[in-house]
Structures are given as structure tokens and as C-alpha cells.
Amino acid sequence: MRYSLLKILAEGLKGNTGWTPVWRNPEPREAYDVVIVGAGGHGLATAYYLAKEFGITNVAVLEKGWLGSGNIGRNTTIIRSNYLLPGNEPFYEFSMKLWEGLEQDFNYNAMVSQRGIINLYHNDGQQAAYLRRANAMRMAGADAVMLSQDEVRRLCPFLDFDNARFPIKGGLMQPRGGTVRHDAVAWGYARGADERGVDIIQNCEVTGFQIEDGVCRGVETSRGKISAKKVAVCVAGSSSRVMSLAGMRLPIESHVLQAFVSEGLKPTIPGVVTFGAGHFYVSQSDKGGLVFGGDLDGYNSYAQRGGLPVVEDVCEGGMAVMPMIGRARLLRGWGGIMDMSMDGSPFIDRTSIDGLYFNGGWCYGGFKATPASGFTYAHLIARDEPHPVAAAYRLDRFQRGAMIDEKGMGAQPNLH
Amino acid sequence: MIINHPLLGPRDSAEFTYLGDASLIERPDWQAEDAADQFHDYLYLRDNPAGEHRELWFHEQGDRSWLVVTRNTLTHEITKVELARDVARSLGRSR
Ligand SMILES: Cc1cc2nc3c(=O)[nH]c(=O)nc-3n(C[C@H](O)[C@H](O)[C@H](O)COP(=O)(O)OP(=O)(O)OC[C@H]3O[C@@H](n4cnc5c(N)ncnc54)[C@H](O)[C@@H]3O)c2cc1C
């Protein structure tokens, strides 16, 4: 069913009796060409692009819980392509271009809102680093604007510019950055994949792989065995757990990241703002809530909840950069499990086991990557060669000394 | 989280910084034939278990000792805390 204004008007006249479920709830079949493990943003986008761009429709997406129950429904919805390194920036800019056409492409309202992201800087060294980043962005075809203090002041008069320790000197802005309704991304991709014949199977946990002579021939699940010519894993925070079923150890640690939302307020924050001297970033949702977050809790965790020290740290950051936030009441906070990689960058690669593919290591930044991750993973699965913009995301890059370490932190996942 | 320091008693985990899997104590032999591969696995690959995890914490805002904490990554329950020094010595290291 195609959604349109006409359809809404027609349904309004018919008492909204003609709407049908957005996707089916099929029983798993015995065999598929491709089985995707994990119905998060990346799994669903992969299925959608496999069907739409690469003509492979005999596909199942297996999800242990309900569709969208992982990080796709827990993130702070920020999209941007403001990376520095050549292994990353073209990929994230490709993703940004896909975001820009996404709603028309999958005929679903994902509330893509390009209202800009500003990274504040507080000293000369940071300004120089941001200028370098801005130039790297422009070289990859992205947009970047260096803002003076006055220009930031005009956009965000509520910030504490004259903070004694961290005065705001200016910012790096990406006007095309912004936010997207995260759940709607999952739903839109699910609907688009389902329409093209993909089976999305919920409450179906993958518990093992059928591997014979180094070739993966399918999966074992809580709902029985399913054969597949190709198995593509993208389970984000569960990456190490799932790949250990195939005997693999990954360059990944799982960490919890928290986020918070305040009560609904009148519109105040024009886009996304990040503090350059502490761990704090904030945007305002369409419902008016301030959506904000900060640093990881910092220790390995699979419990989808965080501790109080980080709540305090995030709120301190908020008070330092926008003191008025102290007047807003906190409505809720939650945590999600991040697949933190050893260099802070992701993997989209084949594995040493034929027919088994891996996508993960997205850290705290995989939401913005959803379209490009799905597209390039589908490309890899369909053609068995990496898409040019994702060619650096190989599992063996540490062996080759080809890390993509944006922050220059080394092999210390909790610092990326 | 409260970490029960073997020397100082119960301390707030916010006083510590976290390094990671305690297997980092067992550095490979740099003279081994396959030292490069061993160091790759040592530096970059992790078990990352859901459940019991032995990990290194540094008492940065305290007595600056390294601890090996055994903690459940699903519940955050801490079941054992040792001085990393003792663990290293028991593995045959001189310090
Ligand atoms: C608090 C928070 C804030 C964030 N903010 C941002 C942001 O502002 N911008 C940004 O770009 N990114 C952000 N992220 C990161 C982003 O959400 C993730 O990187 C991204 O969603 C991960 O990809 P995914 O959507 O496929 O993961 P998920 O939605 O987690 O999908 C993985 C799925 O695999 C399933 N699964 C696991 N094990 C199995 C199994 N054995 N069998 C079957 N299925 C299984 C899970 O149930 C899950 O549904 C944030 C994350 C968090 C937690």
C-alpha cells in the first residue's frame, strides 16, 4: 500500500477502515538465499537494499526480540557526516545523501530533519582541529561552516559563552546534520523489505551456526534450523556473543551508553549542540523534550542500564554549557549496549568462514550510518566485494596496521 | 558500584579508571616465532563475555593500585577483588 496525502484523505472519509498492517508476521521457512541476524536498523536496511537494489528477495531477517528493540530504538537520533579520516568520511557522507532521499525512496515519514549540528570549541587548539576536520569534510563533498562566537551566539543565545573555564569561542557547523525519528527508520525499512518479499521473523533467536568444512550453511534458532546460502550478522551490542557461536573472537567490547530526555518545553534549541570541553550533547525533539547524553559508563556491560556517576557527569556538562537546563525536569533515562571497537570504527566484512558475513563495531555512532551500512552490506553480500566507500572496514585492519582511529586513542574501546 | 578494595575496604567505583580484560596481565613472549600474531590477539581481540568477567581497574583517586575485579557484566555484581600484583605473581611474573 502506497502512503500519500490522497490516501489519508480517502481513509479519513472511510473512517480509517482500509489501513492494513505495515508488515506480515510470517512463519520461518526451511531455507533462504540470505539470512540476516538482527532486525535493528542495520539488519532491516540491509534486507531492504538487498531486495530493492540488488534483486535478492528470498531473504529472512531473524530477530530475538521485537523489531526495533535494540539500539535503533534507544539512540539520540543524530545524523551527521563530520568525520575526519579518509576511511570514514566518504562512507558517512554517502549515508547523509541516502538520508536526504530516504523518505521518498521508502515512502515512509521518517521525520528527517536537517536542522544542523554545531560542535562548540573552547580554545585555539580545538579551533585548528575543527578547521582541519571541516576541510576534510569538504574534500569528501560534505558541508562544513566555521562559526565565530557571534554567529553561535545568534543561533544559540542560551549557551554560557563566558564560562570562566570553558568560554565558547565558536563552533564547527554542519548545516545538513540533524535528527531522524529512529523508530520510523526501522519501521520504514521493515515495511519496504516486507513489501518486496523479505520475511521478518521476530522472537527468533539465533543460537548457533551450521558450519561444515569452513562453510556456513545456515543457522540454528529458537524456532528450529534455517538453511541459508549466506548468513549476515548485524547484532550491534551482541556481536561478540553471537560471533562466539561461530568460534570467532572480535576486536570489540560491549559497553553501556545512557541517554536522557526532559519534559516537553517550547522550542529553544535550533539543532544539535555538542559541548567541546566535556561529555554532553543535546537536541530538542518535535515533542519538545530535550534529548541529551554524554559519555559511556566505561566498563564492559550487557545490562541495558547505566549507573549514577555518569548521570551526574552528563548533567554537570549540561549545566556548564547551558545553565538553563537546570530548570528542566528529567523525564526518563535509559541505556543501550554499544559494540565498541578497538579503534572506534566499524566493520563490514566477510569472515574466515565462507558464507558468513559480519557487520558491527558501530560504537555510539551507528544510527547515522544505518542507510549506508545497509546499502554497503547488501553490496558485499550480493557481490562478494566491498562497496568502495566501505572498503576500509575490514576485520584484519589491526593486523595490517590500518586502524581508523578518529580520536587517536589506541586500542582502548572505552575512550573512543 | 562499590569495589571492595583488598587494602582499603569498600570504595566508590567512580574513584577508579577502567582498563579492560584482566588477560592483559598475560603479555605474550616477544621472542616467540609467532610473536606478531600473538600480540595482535593480545592487543585487539577480546572474549567480551556476557556474565562473569575478570577485569583491571586502577585506583586513580586512591592508593593508585591496580586491581583485578571479577564482575558480572549482566548484573554488575562484583564477586571477587584481588590486587593485580598478587594475580601477576601467581602467574609467575616477578612483579
Ligand atoms: C543511548 C544511545 C544513544 C545513541 N545515539 C546515537 C546518535 O545520536 N547517533 C548515532 O548515529 N548513533 C547513536 N547511537 C548508536 C546507534 O544506536 C547504534 O550504533 C545502532 O543502532 C546499531 O545498529 P542497529 O540499529 O542495527 O542495532 P540494534 O537495533 O541493537 O540491532 C541489533 C539487533 O540484533 C538483535 N539480536 C541480538 N542477538 C541476536 C540473536 N542471537 N538472534 C537474533 N537477533 C539478535 C537484537 O535484539 C537487536 O534488535 C546511540 C546508541 C545509544 C545506546
Side-chain angles (χ1 to χ4, degrees):
Chain A
M1 179 194 300
R2 228 192 125 64
Y3 294 157
S4 64
L5 185 60
L6 203 66
K7 178 82 190 153
I8 293 176
L9 294 175
E11 280 301 324
L13 293 175
K14 287 192 293 180
N16 287 311
T17 48
W19 300 110
T20 53
V22 177
W23 52 78
R24 297 163 297 134
N25 229 339
E27 283 299 313
R29 279 185 270 137
E30 262 170 35
Y32 292 91
D33 288 343
V34 178
V35 159
I36 295 169
V37 186
H42 294 210
L44 294 166
T46 304
Y48 174 78
Y49 290 116
L50 266 178
K52 179 163 177 286
E53 302 295 331
F54 301 93
I56 300 177
T57 54
N58 186 16
V59 176
V61 188
L62 311 182
E63 166 55 48
K64 78 171 171 190
W66 69 92
L67 173 172
S69 57
N71 290 340
I72 185 71
R74 291 168 185 269
N75 64 74
T76 41
T77 78
I78 297 163
I79 61 164
R80 55 187 171 90
S81 58
N82 58 1
Y83 284 70
L84 173 70
L85 299 178
N88 273 332
E89 181 58 12
F91 174 84
Y92 286 102
E93 178 52 24
F94 179 61
S95 208
M96 185 59 85
K97 294 212 167 73
L98 289 173
W99 282 121
E100 286 171 332
L102 184 66
E103 293 166 306
Q104 287 68 34
D105 190 66
F106 67 17
N107 178 233
Y108 200 84
N109 180 9
M111 295 163 66
V112 179
S113 169
Q114 293 181 289
R115 54 195 196 280
I117 174 164
I118 301 174
N119 304 121
L120 301 174
Y121 61 80
H122 309 267
N123 56 48
D124 293 348
Q126 261 184 330
Q127 181 188 21
Y130 276 153
L131 185 55
R132 179 178 172 218
R133 178 183 296 260
N135 286 333
M137 292 164 65
R138 291 183 191 124
M139 274 155 67
D143 56 322
V145 184
M146 292 300 285
L147 300 180
S148 67
Q149 194 202 53
D150 280 348
E151 286 164 321
V152 178
R153 215 184 267 274
R154 233 169 285 138
L155 287 166
C156 303
F158 51 84
L159 297 175
D160 185 4
F161 287 86
D162 305 317
N163 184 302
R165 273 183 82 192
F166 308 117
I168 295 166
K169 301 279 192 182
L172 162 63
M173 182 173 189
Q174 182 176 27
R176 284 158 69 241
T179 63
V180 181
R181 171 79 201 281
H182 52 359
D183 297 316
V185 175
W187 300 334
Y189 276 126
R191 170 171 169 267
D194 177 89
E195 261 175 4
R196 290 172 175 79
V198 172
D199 283 357
I200 301 167
I201 300 159
Q202 306 181 62
N203 300 312
C204 180
E205 177 171 1
V206 169
T207 53
F209 296 94
Q210 300 167 34
I211 297 170
E212 295 159 22
D213 305 325
V215 183
C216 183
R217 305 198 184 276
V219 290
E220 282 149 24
T221 78
S222 54
R223 293 171 71 175
K225 288 189 179 182
I226 301 175
S227 313
K229 292 183 189 140
K230 295 179 174 180
V231 176
V233 175
C234 38
V235 294
S238 302
S239 291
S240 299
R241 286 173 98 173
V242 171
M243 295 311 277
S244 74
L245 301 172
M248 282 180 67
R249 287 174 85 215
L250 299 176
I252 286 177
E253 281 178 9
S254 295
H255 285 262
V256 62
L257 179 71
Q258 305 189 55
F260 309 92
V261 65
S262 78
E263 61 191 322
L265 302 168
K266 293 217 166 136
T268 38
I269 302 185
V272 183
V273 180
T274 75
F275 186 26
H279 293 286
F280 177 80
Y281 63 90
V282 62
S283 67
Q284 190 168 18
S285 78
D286 289 357
K287 279 192 282 183
L290 303 181
V291 181
F292 58 97
D295 204 4
L296 298 170
D297 276 43
Y299 42 81
N300 288 41
S301 175
Y302 284 93
Q304 288 177 320
R305 61 189 159 78
L308 291 173
V310 167
V311 180
E312 194 178 7
D313 183 63
V314 170
C315 292
E316 276 171 6
M319 288 303 289
V321 71
M322 52 179 293
M324 73 175 183
I325 202 171
R327 302 298 294 263
R329 269 169 302 198
L330 203 59
L331 209 58
R332 49 199 176 89
W334 63 92
I337 301 306
M338 323 275 46
D339 34 343
M340 297 300 298
S341 67
M342 285 290 161
D343 58 359
S345 295
F347 307 97
I348 301 177
D349 204 357
R350 283 174 291 206
T351 67
S352 53
I353 299 158
D354 266 355
L356 180 62
Y357 300 75
F358 176 71
N359 172 319
W362 292 100
C363 302
Y364 45 77
F367 176 66
K368 72 177 88 68
T370 306
S373 169
F375 197 103
T376 59
Y377 200 27
H379 182 284
L380 177 74
I381 297 161
R383 307 224 172 122
D384 262 315
E385 58 186 59
H387 187 281
V389 299
Y393 296 153
R394 312 297 300 276
L395 276 163
D396 68 353
R397 65 175 178 257
F398 302 101
Q399 233 140 6
R400 293 180 288 112
M403 306 74 162
I404 315 168
D405 189 345
E406 282 277 334
K407 278 201 184 168
M409 287 299 182
Q412 189 61 42
N414 60 351
L415 298 182
H416 286 296
Chain B
M1 277 185 325
I2 301 289
I3 296 178
N4 198 4
H5 193 300
L7 305 176
L8 304 176
R11 309 298 312 181
D12 189 333
S13 65
E15 293 175 6
F16 295 77
T17 55
Y18 178 84
L19 186 69
D21 196 312
S23 66
L24 287 168
I25 291 177
E26 294 164 73
R27 196 171 304 141
D29 175 9
W30 62 276
Q31 287 177 310
E33 281 284 313
D34 58 345
D37 286 341
Q38 283 193 42
F39 269 100
H40 166 264
D41 295 2
Y42 166 82
L43 259 177
Y44 297 111
L45 301 187
R46 297 287 182 270
D47 287 339
N48 191 20
E52 198 164 274
H53 189 225
R54 290 183 84 213
E55 52 202 22
L56 284 162
W57 291 74
F58 177 56
H59 200 191
E60 188 172 41
Q61 321 236 342
D63 70 343
R64 304 184 74 77
S65 57
W66 282 95
L67 306 182
V68 173
V69 176
T70 306
R71 190 179 55 92
N72 188 315
T73 57
L74 286 161
T75 61
H76 298 167
E77 188 196 2
I78 294 173
T79 47
K80 193 171 179 188
V81 185
E82 302 153 273
L83 286 175
R85 191 176 59 199
D86 295 343
V87 175
R89 280 189 184 138
S90 73
L91 290 165
R93 289 251 310 259
S94 57
R95 60 196 168 90

